[in-house]
Amino acid sequence: MQDRFLGDRTALVTGATSGIGLAIAQALAAAGARVAISGLGSDQQISDALASIDAAGANGSKHFAADLRDAAAIEAMMSSCASWSQPDILVNCAGIQHTASLEQMPAATWDAVLAINLSAAFHTMRLALPAMAARGFGRVINIASVHGLVASVNKTPYVASKFGLVGLSKGAALEYAGQGSRTSGGVTVNCVCPGWVETPLIEPQVEARQAAVGGSRDDGVRALLAEKQPSGRMSLPAEIAELVVWLCRPAAHNLTGAAIPVDGGWTSQ
Ligand code: NAD
């Protein structure tokens, strides 16, 4: 029997047409939340995502379209979502990555990575947090990365965006820390900082490493993990989602401004 403790809550999850965001939307639905998602994809991909979220327990999840590079589109998305149901829980999960040296990095890629991974979260937060404060309950969970805590080569826009996301979250956590009460649940803002997670985002890096070491995809994955993630195991999207659901619990009212690594020891080295 699932604990439906989010039965009277609405969640908006960006980047939920794939990977970690989709798993988070499903887990929040299973915990009883009304779920809105955004994210790119074909009509089929979006309707499959909504069907899987409903099957997990949402019953009437809804997609709000927006290209998150566009601030006006984000405002329209937030306004449509609020008219449908004001979010109590906001998960900023949309993200892109491109690997190249600083010198080789296209300037347009810098703009896109910063817009989607960082500025979009600023816009969704500035639009969602006031209503959370008014109700005395809110949870903002930003999916950053180990790259919000430590750098790696050939990922400068990604690293800059994720360090920025951690800073944005800490600042917002301070501004809203005094809102609400233990009874109402308070308003918290946190980052989850995964290491390697098994999703389409990392596939180009897996393929490149497989080509470099030869052998199977598993050999490529092993080589990638051996470099940085001491556990030698990738996380699964559903495991990240369980932490997100826990952060929505009333007992998490005093956990705010944190950047929580889920990285098999990567950032402990
Ligand atoms: P994914 O590629 O499976 O999903 C990315 C999501 O972002 C998709 O829903 C996509 O439609 C959406 N998106 C991309 N560009 C968009 C745009 N312009 N407008 C609106 N939506 C857009 O990737 P994932 O691995 O699930 O990554 C999710 C988050 O987790 C990202 O922020 C990523 O940086 C972070 N992360 C992933 C890993 C990993 O190993 N996979 C590790 C650490 C952090």
PDB file of all heavy atoms in Angstrom, residues 14-21 38-41 66-69 92-96 116-117 143-146 158 162 193-202, ligand 1:
ATOM      1  N   THR A  14       9.630  19.942 -14.398  1.00  0.00           N
ATOM      2  CA  THR A  14      10.135  20.244 -15.746  1.00  0.00           C
ATOM      3  C   THR A  14      11.050  19.104 -16.192  1.00  0.00           C
ATOM      4  O   THR A  14      11.569  18.343 -15.371  1.00  0.00           O
ATOM      5  CB  THR A  14      10.908  21.587 -15.790  1.00  0.00           C
ATOM      6  OG1 THR A  14      12.185  21.419 -15.164  1.00  0.00           O
ATOM      7  CG2 THR A  14      10.128  22.711 -15.132  1.00  0.00           C
ATOM      8  N   GLY A  15      11.221  18.990 -17.498  1.00  0.00           N
ATOM      9  CA  GLY A  15      12.087  17.930 -18.021  1.00  0.00           C
ATOM     10  C   GLY A  15      11.546  16.551 -17.716  1.00  0.00           C
ATOM     11  O   GLY A  15      12.307  15.598 -17.507  1.00  0.00           O
ATOM     12  N   ALA A  16      10.219  16.433 -17.714  1.00  0.00           N
ATOM     13  CA  ALA A  16       9.610  15.173 -17.261  1.00  0.00           C
ATOM     14  C   ALA A  16       9.100  14.317 -18.415  1.00  0.00           C
ATOM     15  O   ALA A  16       8.305  13.407 -18.197  1.00  0.00           O
ATOM     16  CB  ALA A  16       8.487  15.462 -16.271  1.00  0.00           C
ATOM     17  N   THR A  17       9.570  14.597 -19.638  1.00  0.00           N
ATOM     18  CA  THR A  17       9.202  13.712 -20.747  1.00  0.00           C
ATOM     19  C   THR A  17      10.220  12.584 -20.912  1.00  0.00           C
ATOM     20  O   THR A  17      10.090  11.747 -21.793  1.00  0.00           O
ATOM     21  CB  THR A  17       9.100  14.513 -22.063  1.00  0.00           C
ATOM     22  OG1 THR A  17      10.275  15.332 -22.202  1.00  0.00           O
ATOM     23  CG2 THR A  17       7.864  15.401 -22.072  1.00  0.00           C
ATOM     24  N   SER A  18      11.236  12.566 -20.043  1.00  0.00           N
ATOM     25  CA  SER A  18      12.317  11.593 -20.210  1.00  0.00           C
ATOM     26  C   SER A  18      13.083  11.445 -18.898  1.00  0.00           C
ATOM     27  O   SER A  18      12.991  12.304 -18.014  1.00  0.00           O
ATOM     28  CB  SER A  18      13.245  12.130 -21.316  1.00  0.00           C
ATOM     29  OG  SER A  18      14.458  11.428 -21.392  1.00  0.00           O
ATOM     30  N   GLY A  19      13.826  10.373 -18.770  1.00  0.00           N
ATOM     31  CA  GLY A  19      14.869  10.226 -17.761  1.00  0.00           C
ATOM     32  C   GLY A  19      14.445  10.476 -16.320  1.00  0.00           C
ATOM     33  O   GLY A  19      13.422   9.980 -15.830  1.00  0.00           O
ATOM     34  N   ILE A  20      15.248  11.271 -15.627  1.00  0.00           N
ATOM     35  CA  ILE A  20      15.067  11.492 -14.188  1.00  0.00           C
ATOM     36  C   ILE A  20      13.746  12.216 -13.914  1.00  0.00           C
ATOM     37  O   ILE A  20      13.020  11.876 -12.976  1.00  0.00           O
ATOM     38  CB  ILE A  20      16.260  12.306 -13.620  1.00  0.00           C
ATOM     39  CG1 ILE A  20      17.575  11.535 -13.796  1.00  0.00           C
ATOM     40  CG2 ILE A  20      16.037  12.610 -12.136  1.00  0.00           C
ATOM     41  CD1 ILE A  20      18.833  12.356 -13.494  1.00  0.00           C
ATOM     42  N   GLY A  21      13.432  13.232 -14.730  1.00  0.00           N
ATOM     43  CA  GLY A  21      12.207  14.005 -14.509  1.00  0.00           C
ATOM     44  C   GLY A  21      10.964  13.133 -14.612  1.00  0.00           C
ATOM     45  O   GLY A  21      10.024  13.278 -13.815  1.00  0.00           O
ATOM     46  N   SER A  38       6.385  19.456 -17.774  1.00  0.00           N
ATOM     47  CA  SER A  38       6.766  20.098 -19.027  1.00  0.00           C
ATOM     48  C   SER A  38       7.951  19.321 -19.567  1.00  0.00           C
ATOM     49  O   SER A  38       8.532  18.487 -18.868  1.00  0.00           O
ATOM     50  CB  SER A  38       7.069  21.577 -18.826  1.00  0.00           C
ATOM     51  OG  SER A  38       8.398  21.743 -18.438  1.00  0.00           O
ATOM     52  N   GLY A  39       8.286  19.606 -20.812  1.00  0.00           N
ATOM     53  CA  GLY A  39       9.383  18.885 -21.452  1.00  0.00           C
ATOM     54  C   GLY A  39       9.104  18.764 -22.923  1.00  0.00           C
ATOM     55  O   GLY A  39       7.946  18.844 -23.351  1.00  0.00           O
ATOM     56  N   LEU A  40      10.175  18.609 -23.696  1.00  0.00           N
ATOM     57  CA  LEU A  40      10.035  18.476 -25.143  1.00  0.00           C
ATOM     58  C   LEU A  40       9.726  17.026 -25.488  1.00  0.00           C
ATOM     59  O   LEU A  40       9.934  16.129 -24.673  1.00  0.00           O
ATOM     60  CB  LEU A  40      11.338  18.901 -25.829  1.00  0.00           C
ATOM     61  CG  LEU A  40      11.889  20.289 -25.461  1.00  0.00           C
ATOM     62  CD1 LEU A  40      13.205  20.544 -26.194  1.00  0.00           C
ATOM     63  CD2 LEU A  40      10.867  21.379 -25.759  1.00  0.00           C
ATOM     64  N   GLY A  41       9.246  16.818 -26.718  1.00  0.00           N
ATOM     65  CA  GLY A  41       9.004  15.453 -27.179  1.00  0.00           C
ATOM     66  C   GLY A  41       7.909  15.432 -28.226  1.00  0.00           C
ATOM     67  O   GLY A  41       7.182  16.408 -28.391  1.00  0.00           O
ATOM     68  N   ALA A  66       6.559  24.332 -23.104  1.00  0.00           N
ATOM     69  CA  ALA A  66       7.380  25.552 -23.138  1.00  0.00           C
ATOM     70  C   ALA A  66       8.792  25.165 -23.542  1.00  0.00           C
ATOM     71  O   ALA A  66       9.328  24.159 -23.047  1.00  0.00           O
ATOM     72  CB  ALA A  66       7.421  26.229 -21.774  1.00  0.00           C
ATOM     73  N   ASP A  67       9.361  25.949 -24.432  1.00  0.00           N
ATOM     74  CA  ASP A  67      10.794  25.836 -24.676  1.00  0.00           C
ATOM     75  C   ASP A  67      11.458  26.687 -23.594  1.00  0.00           C
ATOM     76  O   ASP A  67      11.292  27.907 -23.564  1.00  0.00           O
ATOM     77  CB  ASP A  67      11.153  26.351 -26.075  1.00  0.00           C
ATOM     78  CG  ASP A  67      12.638  26.120 -26.374  1.00  0.00           C
ATOM     79  OD1 ASP A  67      13.452  26.156 -25.421  1.00  0.00           O
ATOM     80  OD2 ASP A  67      12.981  25.911 -27.549  1.00  0.00           O
ATOM     81  N   LEU A  68      12.183  26.019 -22.711  1.00  0.00           N
ATOM     82  CA  LEU A  68      12.697  26.706 -21.516  1.00  0.00           C
ATOM     83  C   LEU A  68      13.834  27.675 -21.818  1.00  0.00           C
ATOM     84  O   LEU A  68      14.342  28.330 -20.916  1.00  0.00           O
ATOM     85  CB  LEU A  68      13.129  25.681 -20.461  1.00  0.00           C
ATOM     86  CG  LEU A  68      12.007  24.792 -19.914  1.00  0.00           C
ATOM     87  CD1 LEU A  68      12.553  23.849 -18.844  1.00  0.00           C
ATOM     88  CD2 LEU A  68      10.860  25.604 -19.343  1.00  0.00           C
ATOM     89  N   ARG A  69      14.216  27.805 -23.096  1.00  0.00           N
ATOM     90  CA  ARG A  69      15.191  28.854 -23.445  1.00  0.00           C
ATOM     91  C   ARG A  69      14.518  30.216 -23.528  1.00  0.00           C
ATOM     92  O   ARG A  69      15.192  31.234 -23.654  1.00  0.00           O
ATOM     93  CB  ARG A  69      15.831  28.541 -24.813  1.00  0.00           C
ATOM     94  CG  ARG A  69      16.779  27.350 -24.767  1.00  0.00           C
ATOM     95  CD  ARG A  69      17.216  26.944 -26.151  1.00  0.00           C
ATOM     96  NE  ARG A  69      16.074  26.487 -26.955  1.00  0.00           N
ATOM     97  CZ  ARG A  69      16.167  25.994 -28.178  1.00  0.00           C
ATOM     98  NH1 ARG A  69      17.342  25.881 -28.761  1.00  0.00           N
ATOM     99  NH2 ARG A  69      15.092  25.605 -28.824  1.00  0.00           N
ATOM    100  N   ASN A  92      12.690  21.429 -10.759  1.00  0.00           N
ATOM    101  CA  ASN A  92      13.375  21.871 -11.979  1.00  0.00           C
ATOM    102  C   ASN A  92      14.361  20.784 -12.373  1.00  0.00           C
ATOM    103  O   ASN A  92      15.426  20.641 -11.757  1.00  0.00           O
ATOM    104  CB  ASN A  92      14.105  23.194 -11.730  1.00  0.00           C
ATOM    105  CG  ASN A  92      13.138  24.354 -11.656  1.00  0.00           C
ATOM    106  OD1 ASN A  92      12.414  24.629 -12.606  1.00  0.00           O
ATOM    107  ND2 ASN A  92      13.107  25.026 -10.511  1.00  0.00           N
ATOM    108  N   CYS A  93      13.976  20.016 -13.383  1.00  0.00           N
ATOM    109  CA  CYS A  93      14.816  18.877 -13.781  1.00  0.00           C
ATOM    110  C   CYS A  93      15.311  18.992 -15.221  1.00  0.00           C
ATOM    111  O   CYS A  93      16.249  18.307 -15.604  1.00  0.00           O
ATOM    112  CB  CYS A  93      14.049  17.576 -13.583  1.00  0.00           C
ATOM    113  SG  CYS A  93      15.039  16.106 -13.809  1.00  0.00           S
ATOM    114  N   ALA A  94      14.699  19.866 -16.025  1.00  0.00           N
ATOM    115  CA  ALA A  94      15.126  19.964 -17.432  1.00  0.00           C
ATOM    116  C   ALA A  94      16.603  20.333 -17.491  1.00  0.00           C
ATOM    117  O   ALA A  94      17.073  21.160 -16.704  1.00  0.00           O
ATOM    118  CB  ALA A  94      14.295  21.011 -18.154  1.00  0.00           C
ATOM    119  N   GLY A  95      17.300  19.720 -18.397  1.00  0.00           N
ATOM    120  CA  GLY A  95      18.719  20.040 -18.525  1.00  0.00           C
ATOM    121  C   GLY A  95      19.282  19.472 -19.807  1.00  0.00           C
ATOM    122  O   GLY A  95      18.762  18.499 -20.358  1.00  0.00           O
ATOM    123  N   ILE A  96      20.332  20.127 -20.287  1.00  0.00           N
ATOM    124  CA  ILE A  96      21.062  19.613 -21.445  1.00  0.00           C
ATOM    125  C   ILE A  96      22.551  19.666 -21.125  1.00  0.00           C
ATOM    126  O   ILE A  96      22.981  20.365 -20.201  1.00  0.00           O
ATOM    127  CB  ILE A  96      20.775  20.410 -22.745  1.00  0.00           C
ATOM    128  CG1 ILE A  96      21.152  21.892 -22.591  1.00  0.00           C
ATOM    129  CG2 ILE A  96      19.314  20.270 -23.150  1.00  0.00           C
ATOM    130  CD1 ILE A  96      21.191  22.653 -23.917  1.00  0.00           C
ATOM    131  N   ILE A 116      18.610  26.862 -20.154  1.00  0.00           N
ATOM    132  CA  ILE A 116      17.761  25.724 -19.748  1.00  0.00           C
ATOM    133  C   ILE A 116      18.117  25.256 -18.329  1.00  0.00           C
ATOM    134  O   ILE A 116      17.238  25.006 -17.506  1.00  0.00           O
ATOM    135  CB  ILE A 116      17.905  24.565 -20.766  1.00  0.00           C
ATOM    136  CG1 ILE A 116      17.393  25.010 -22.129  1.00  0.00           C
ATOM    137  CG2 ILE A 116      17.182  23.315 -20.278  1.00  0.00           C
ATOM    138  CD1 ILE A 116      17.818  24.126 -23.289  1.00  0.00           C
ATOM    139  N   ASN A 117      19.421  25.128 -18.048  1.00  0.00           N
ATOM    140  CA  ASN A 117      19.841  24.528 -16.771  1.00  0.00           C
ATOM    141  C   ASN A 117      19.761  25.509 -15.603  1.00  0.00           C
ATOM    142  O   ASN A 117      19.663  25.087 -14.457  1.00  0.00           O
ATOM    143  CB  ASN A 117      21.286  24.027 -16.870  1.00  0.00           C
ATOM    144  CG  ASN A 117      21.461  22.886 -17.860  1.00  0.00           C
ATOM    145  OD1 ASN A 117      20.574  22.609 -18.661  1.00  0.00           O
ATOM    146  ND2 ASN A 117      22.612  22.247 -17.834  1.00  0.00           N
ATOM    147  N   ILE A 143      17.236  19.770  -9.697  1.00  0.00           N
ATOM    148  CA  ILE A 143      18.141  18.661 -10.007  1.00  0.00           C
ATOM    149  C   ILE A 143      19.402  19.269 -10.602  1.00  0.00           C
ATOM    150  O   ILE A 143      19.444  19.634 -11.787  1.00  0.00           O
ATOM    151  CB  ILE A 143      17.487  17.639 -10.955  1.00  0.00           C
ATOM    152  CG1 ILE A 143      16.116  17.178 -10.403  1.00  0.00           C
ATOM    153  CG2 ILE A 143      18.423  16.438 -11.151  1.00  0.00           C
ATOM    154  CD1 ILE A 143      16.120  16.617  -8.980  1.00  0.00           C
ATOM    155  N   ALA A 144      20.396  19.422  -9.733  1.00  0.00           N
ATOM    156  CA  ALA A 144      21.683  19.969 -10.168  1.00  0.00           C
ATOM    157  C   ALA A 144      22.536  18.801 -10.636  1.00  0.00           C
ATOM    158  O   ALA A 144      22.140  18.060 -11.548  1.00  0.00           O
ATOM    159  CB  ALA A 144      22.323  20.766  -9.034  1.00  0.00           C
ATOM    160  N   SER A 145      23.670  18.579 -10.001  1.00  0.00           N
ATOM    161  CA  SER A 145      24.595  17.535 -10.453  1.00  0.00           C
ATOM    162  C   SER A 145      25.804  17.560  -9.523  1.00  0.00           C
ATOM    163  O   SER A 145      26.043  18.572  -8.845  1.00  0.00           O
ATOM    164  CB  SER A 145      25.051  17.852 -11.887  1.00  0.00           C
ATOM    165  OG  SER A 145      26.159  17.061 -12.263  1.00  0.00           O
ATOM    166  N   VAL A 146      26.596  16.491  -9.524  1.00  0.00           N
ATOM    167  CA  VAL A 146      27.920  16.606  -8.901  1.00  0.00           C
ATOM    168  C   VAL A 146      28.663  17.785  -9.505  1.00  0.00           C
ATOM    169  O   VAL A 146      29.514  18.391  -8.855  1.00  0.00           O
ATOM    170  CB  VAL A 146      28.799  15.345  -9.080  1.00  0.00           C
ATOM    171  CG1 VAL A 146      28.374  14.232  -8.166  1.00  0.00           C
ATOM    172  CG2 VAL A 146      28.835  14.885 -10.515  1.00  0.00           C
ATOM    173  N   TYR A 158      28.065  23.480 -18.632  1.00  0.00           N
ATOM    174  CA  TYR A 158      27.285  22.617 -17.735  1.00  0.00           C
ATOM    175  C   TYR A 158      27.700  22.855 -16.277  1.00  0.00           C
ATOM    176  O   TYR A 158      26.858  23.049 -15.400  1.00  0.00           O
ATOM    177  CB  TYR A 158      27.512  21.154 -18.135  1.00  0.00           C
ATOM    178  CG  TYR A 158      26.609  20.155 -17.449  1.00  0.00           C
ATOM    179  CD1 TYR A 158      25.295  19.978 -17.857  1.00  0.00           C
ATOM    180  CD2 TYR A 158      27.082  19.369 -16.394  1.00  0.00           C
ATOM    181  CE1 TYR A 158      24.462  19.047 -17.234  1.00  0.00           C
ATOM    182  CE2 TYR A 158      26.263  18.440 -15.769  1.00  0.00           C
ATOM    183  CZ  TYR A 158      24.948  18.281 -16.196  1.00  0.00           C
ATOM    184  OH  TYR A 158      24.144  17.358 -15.575  1.00  0.00           O
ATOM    185  N   LYS A 162      25.391  24.461 -13.300  1.00  0.00           N
ATOM    186  CA  LYS A 162      25.010  23.685 -12.101  1.00  0.00           C
ATOM    187  C   LYS A 162      25.547  24.340 -10.822  1.00  0.00           C
ATOM    188  O   LYS A 162      24.871  24.325  -9.796  1.00  0.00           O
ATOM    189  CB  LYS A 162      25.496  22.236 -12.238  1.00  0.00           C
ATOM    190  CG  LYS A 162      24.848  21.470 -13.403  1.00  0.00           C
ATOM    191  CD  LYS A 162      23.340  21.319 -13.252  1.00  0.00           C
ATOM    192  CE  LYS A 162      22.741  20.412 -14.322  1.00  0.00           C
ATOM    193  NZ  LYS A 162      21.282  20.248 -14.176  1.00  0.00           N
ATOM    194  N   CYS A 193      22.109  16.407  -6.219  1.00  0.00           N
ATOM    195  CA  CYS A 193      23.314  16.468  -7.060  1.00  0.00           C
ATOM    196  C   CYS A 193      23.770  15.062  -7.454  1.00  0.00           C
ATOM    197  O   CYS A 193      24.679  14.492  -6.827  1.00  0.00           O
ATOM    198  CB  CYS A 193      24.422  17.186  -6.304  1.00  0.00           C
ATOM    199  SG  CYS A 193      24.021  18.893  -5.902  1.00  0.00           S
ATOM    200  N   PRO A 194      23.155  14.501  -8.502  1.00  0.00           N
ATOM    201  CA  PRO A 194      23.536  13.134  -8.876  1.00  0.00           C
ATOM    202  C   PRO A 194      24.887  13.059  -9.582  1.00  0.00           C
ATOM    203  O   PRO A 194      25.284  13.986 -10.286  1.00  0.00           O
ATOM    204  CB  PRO A 194      22.423  12.705  -9.849  1.00  0.00           C
ATOM    205  CG  PRO A 194      21.349  13.750  -9.753  1.00  0.00           C
ATOM    206  CD  PRO A 194      22.038  15.003  -9.314  1.00  0.00           C
ATOM    207  N   GLY A 195      25.541  11.914  -9.384  1.00  0.00           N
ATOM    208  CA  GLY A 195      26.650  11.524 -10.264  1.00  0.00           C
ATOM    209  C   GLY A 195      26.043  10.902 -11.514  1.00  0.00           C
ATOM    210  O   GLY A 195      25.033  11.379 -12.023  1.00  0.00           O
ATOM    211  N   TRP A 196      26.652   9.807 -11.984  1.00  0.00           N
ATOM    212  CA  TRP A 196      26.116   9.175 -13.206  1.00  0.00           C
ATOM    213  C   TRP A 196      24.761   8.519 -12.935  1.00  0.00           C
ATOM    214  O   TRP A 196      24.615   7.741 -12.000  1.00  0.00           O
ATOM    215  CB  TRP A 196      27.079   8.090 -13.702  1.00  0.00           C
ATOM    216  CG  TRP A 196      28.401   8.607 -14.204  1.00  0.00           C
ATOM    217  CD1 TRP A 196      29.618   8.458 -13.590  1.00  0.00           C
ATOM    218  CD2 TRP A 196      28.650   9.324 -15.424  1.00  0.00           C
ATOM    219  NE1 TRP A 196      30.599   9.059 -14.350  1.00  0.00           N
ATOM    220  CE2 TRP A 196      30.041   9.588 -15.477  1.00  0.00           C
ATOM    221  CE3 TRP A 196      27.844   9.778 -16.468  1.00  0.00           C
ATOM    222  CZ2 TRP A 196      30.626  10.276 -16.534  1.00  0.00           C
ATOM    223  CZ3 TRP A 196      28.439  10.467 -17.522  1.00  0.00           C
ATOM    224  CH2 TRP A 196      29.802  10.705 -17.546  1.00  0.00           C
ATOM    225  N   VAL A 197      23.784   8.849 -13.786  1.00  0.00           N
ATOM    226  CA  VAL A 197      22.453   8.235 -13.713  1.00  0.00           C
ATOM    227  C   VAL A 197      22.136   7.687 -15.098  1.00  0.00           C
ATOM    228  O   VAL A 197      22.404   8.343 -16.113  1.00  0.00           O
ATOM    229  CB  VAL A 197      21.368   9.267 -13.325  1.00  0.00           C
ATOM    230  CG1 VAL A 197      20.023   8.573 -13.111  1.00  0.00           C
ATOM    231  CG2 VAL A 197      21.764  10.041 -12.074  1.00  0.00           C
ATOM    232  N   GLU A 198      21.556   6.503 -15.107  1.00  0.00           N
ATOM    233  CA  GLU A 198      21.261   5.796 -16.371  1.00  0.00           C
ATOM    234  C   GLU A 198      20.104   6.474 -17.116  1.00  0.00           C
ATOM    235  O   GLU A 198      18.943   6.186 -16.830  1.00  0.00           O
ATOM    236  CB  GLU A 198      20.917   4.351 -16.005  1.00  0.00           C
ATOM    237  CG  GLU A 198      20.675   3.396 -17.138  1.00  0.00           C
ATOM    238  CD  GLU A 198      21.949   2.788 -17.698  1.00  0.00           C
ATOM    239  OE1 GLU A 198      22.664   2.081 -16.973  1.00  0.00           O
ATOM    240  OE2 GLU A 198      22.210   3.037 -18.884  1.00  0.00           O
ATOM    241  N   THR A 199      20.410   7.425 -18.016  1.00  0.00           N
ATOM    242  CA  THR A 199      19.374   8.110 -18.814  1.00  0.00           C
ATOM    243  C   THR A 199      19.930   8.438 -20.205  1.00  0.00           C
ATOM    244  O   THR A 199      21.136   8.367 -20.422  1.00  0.00           O
ATOM    245  CB  THR A 199      18.935   9.456 -18.180  1.00  0.00           C
ATOM    246  OG1 THR A 199      19.958  10.421 -18.422  1.00  0.00           O
ATOM    247  CG2 THR A 199      18.648   9.361 -16.701  1.00  0.00           C
ATOM    248  N   PRO A 200      19.040   8.902 -21.113  1.00  0.00           N
ATOM    249  CA  PRO A 200      19.520   9.252 -22.466  1.00  0.00           C
ATOM    250  C   PRO A 200      20.570  10.376 -22.476  1.00  0.00           C
ATOM    251  O   PRO A 200      21.382  10.453 -23.387  1.00  0.00           O
ATOM    252  CB  PRO A 200      18.246   9.728 -23.184  1.00  0.00           C
ATOM    253  CG  PRO A 200      17.115   9.091 -22.439  1.00  0.00           C
ATOM    254  CD  PRO A 200      17.571   8.966 -21.014  1.00  0.00           C
ATOM    255  N   LEU A 201      20.569  11.247 -21.437  1.00  0.00           N
ATOM    256  CA  LEU A 201      21.483  12.401 -21.420  1.00  0.00           C
ATOM    257  C   LEU A 201      22.946  11.988 -21.533  1.00  0.00           C
ATOM    258  O   LEU A 201      23.761  12.682 -22.147  1.00  0.00           O
ATOM    259  CB  LEU A 201      21.274  13.199 -20.125  1.00  0.00           C
ATOM    260  CG  LEU A 201      22.090  14.473 -19.960  1.00  0.00           C
ATOM    261  CD1 LEU A 201      21.238  15.677 -20.379  1.00  0.00           C
ATOM    262  CD2 LEU A 201      22.536  14.681 -18.526  1.00  0.00           C
ATOM    263  N   ILE A 202      23.292  10.856 -20.907  1.00  0.00           N
ATOM    264  CA  ILE A 202      24.710  10.487 -20.832  1.00  0.00           C
ATOM    265  C   ILE A 202      25.130   9.550 -21.963  1.00  0.00           C
ATOM    266  O   ILE A 202      26.292   9.183 -22.068  1.00  0.00           O
ATOM    267  CB  ILE A 202      25.052   9.829 -19.465  1.00  0.00           C
ATOM    268  CG1 ILE A 202      24.257   8.535 -19.288  1.00  0.00           C
ATOM    269  CG2 ILE A 202      24.802  10.803 -18.319  1.00  0.00           C
ATOM    270  CD1 ILE A 202      24.866   7.616 -18.252  1.00  0.00           C
TER     271      ILE A 202
HETATM  272  P1  NAD B   1      17.124  13.563 -20.299  1.00  0.00           P
HETATM  273  O1  NAD B   1      17.830  13.995 -21.537  1.00  0.00           O
HETATM  274  O2  NAD B   1      16.610  12.171 -20.198  1.00  0.00           O
HETATM  275  O3  NAD B   1      15.928  14.579 -19.972  1.00  0.00           O
HETATM  276  C1  NAD B   1      16.068  15.963 -20.143  1.00  0.00           C
HETATM  277  C2  NAD B   1      14.701  16.623 -20.088  1.00  0.00           C
HETATM  278  O4  NAD B   1      14.872  18.039 -20.298  1.00  0.00           O
HETATM  279  C3  NAD B   1      13.748  16.141 -21.188  1.00  0.00           C
HETATM  280  O5  NAD B   1      12.435  16.031 -20.678  1.00  0.00           O
HETATM  281  C4  NAD B   1      13.800  17.268 -22.211  1.00  0.00           C
HETATM  282  O6  NAD B   1      12.638  17.382 -23.015  1.00  0.00           O
HETATM  283  C5  NAD B   1      13.964  18.478 -21.297  1.00  0.00           C
HETATM  284  N1  NAD B   1      14.478  19.621 -22.054  1.00  0.00           N
HETATM  285  C6  NAD B   1      15.660  19.710 -22.716  1.00  0.00           C
HETATM  286  N2  NAD B   1      15.732  20.881 -23.380  1.00  0.00           N
HETATM  287  C7  NAD B   1      14.580  21.552 -23.125  1.00  0.00           C
HETATM  288  C8  NAD B   1      14.050  22.816 -23.527  1.00  0.00           C
HETATM  289  N3  NAD B   1      14.718  23.624 -24.347  1.00  0.00           N
HETATM  290  N4  NAD B   1      12.829  23.160 -23.083  1.00  0.00           N
HETATM  291  C9  NAD B   1      12.110  22.338 -22.276  1.00  0.00           C
HETATM  292  N5  NAD B   1      12.571  21.149 -21.854  1.00  0.00           N
HETATM  293  C10 NAD B   1      13.784  20.755 -22.279  1.00  0.00           C
HETATM  294  O7  NAD B   1      18.183  13.854 -19.142  1.00  0.00           O
HETATM  295  P2  NAD B   1      18.298  13.362 -17.611  1.00  0.00           P
HETATM  296  O8  NAD B   1      19.542  12.578 -17.491  1.00  0.00           O
HETATM  297  O9  NAD B   1      17.018  12.806 -17.123  1.00  0.00           O
HETATM  298  O10 NAD B   1      18.611  14.773 -16.914  1.00  0.00           O
HETATM  299  C11 NAD B   1      17.683  15.427 -16.090  1.00  0.00           C
HETATM  300  C12 NAD B   1      18.456  16.400 -15.207  1.00  0.00           C
HETATM  301  O11 NAD B   1      19.357  15.676 -14.370  1.00  0.00           O
HETATM  302  C13 NAD B   1      19.292  17.411 -15.989  1.00  0.00           C
HETATM  303  O12 NAD B   1      19.188  18.682 -15.392  1.00  0.00           O
HETATM  304  C14 NAD B   1      20.699  16.864 -15.834  1.00  0.00           C
HETATM  305  O13 NAD B   1      21.680  17.883 -15.918  1.00  0.00           O
HETATM  306  C15 NAD B   1      20.633  16.250 -14.458  1.00  0.00           C
HETATM  307  N6  NAD B   1      21.642  15.226 -14.205  1.00  0.00           N
HETATM  308  C16 NAD B   1      21.691  14.085 -14.953  1.00  0.00           C
HETATM  309  C17 NAD B   1      22.696  13.140 -14.690  1.00  0.00           C
HETATM  310  C18 NAD B   1      22.827  11.858 -15.468  1.00  0.00           C
HETATM  311  O14 NAD B   1      23.830  11.159 -15.284  1.00  0.00           O
HETATM  312  N7  NAD B   1      21.871  11.487 -16.290  1.00  0.00           N
HETATM  313  C19 NAD B   1      23.614  13.388 -13.664  1.00  0.00           C
HETATM  314  C20 NAD B   1      23.530  14.561 -12.924  1.00  0.00           C
HETATM  315  C21 NAD B   1      22.532  15.469 -13.204  1.00  0.00           C
END
